[in-house]
Amino acid sequence: MKALDEVDIRYLRRAIGLSRVARDKGNGAYGAVLVGADGQVLAEAENSQVTDRDATGHAEINLVRIASKRVDAQTLAGATLYASAEPCAMCAGAVFWSGVKRVVYALGSERNYAMLPPSGAELRIGCREILGRGGHAVEVAGPALEDEAARVFTE
């Protein structure tokens, strides 16, 4: 697994910034950024579950939808998805089927769940486990910058 570098940290912080934007709009505090192999930002997205009245409006799902319309499969395969929090089961599936080969996240799901009121609607399975069962490899790195990402929920 590739160690996180300054570029990874910069884009994780951008994803965390997008989580603030989502929160300020009344949505769940989650954001995501997709960066191509050449370092170019391919797409950015935030959670829109409340404002779009869409249970699937997670940041990573929104990001995959945007990016899939903009770039080809080869570009997606070379991209890294940066998420403010560990992708849930639904989002991990979307990442897998998009062909993105690397995910970097800030806030781990266990810490994230511990900060939220229990809803009974969680699928408590880590994205590593889901992505590790796929037919092609997806590198997963995280958690990183957990305290920064967690502050968005407590500010």
Side-chain angles (χ1 to χ4, degrees):
M1 180 180 7
K2 174 185 168 197
L4 298 187
D5 59 22
E6 292 174 23
V7 172
D8 293 322
I9 298 301
R10 178 173 23 133
Y11 289 122
L12 267 183
R13 287 196 167 120
R14 177 62 189 149
I16 293 167
L18 289 166
S19 73
R20 280 189 181 88
V21 172
R23 180 206 60 201
D24 292 348
K25 291 179 181 177
N27 292 297
Y30 304 97
V33 179
L34 187 69
V35 178
D38 62 0
Q40 295 295 315
V41 172
L42 302 173
E44 296 182 334
E46 62 200 52
N47 182 291
S48 63
Q49 285 181 280
V50 174
T51 53
D52 286 350
R53 298 178 69 185
D54 179 358
T56 67
H58 293 198
E60 299 92 334
I61 297 280
N62 291 337
L63 185 74
V64 166
R65 287 179 181 144
I66 292 165
S68 295
K69 293 175 185 174
R70 289 185 184 169
V71 300
D72 61 21
Q74 183 177 357
T75 302
L76 286 172
T80 298
L81 188 151
Y82 296 93
S84 63
E86 183 174 355
C88 71
M90 175 179 67
C91 292
V95 168
F96 177 79
W97 283 299
S98 75
V100 169
K101 296 289 199 268
R102 184 169 182 250
V103 174
V104 180
Y105 66 87
L107 184 62
S109 61
E110 286 307 312
R111 186 165 174 192
N112 189 9
Y113 289 139
M115 298 173 64
L116 301 172
S119 71
E122 304 92 10
L123 287 172
R124 292 183 179 244
I125 182 169
C127 72
R128 269 187 186 83
E129 184 173 348
I130 293 167
L131 294 170
R133 292 176 181 239
H136 63 264
V138 179
E139 179 185 339
V140 178
L145 304 179
E146 274 198 296
D147 291 340
E148 286 183 42
R151 272 195 292 277
V152 178
F153 290 89
T154 60
E155 292 175 332

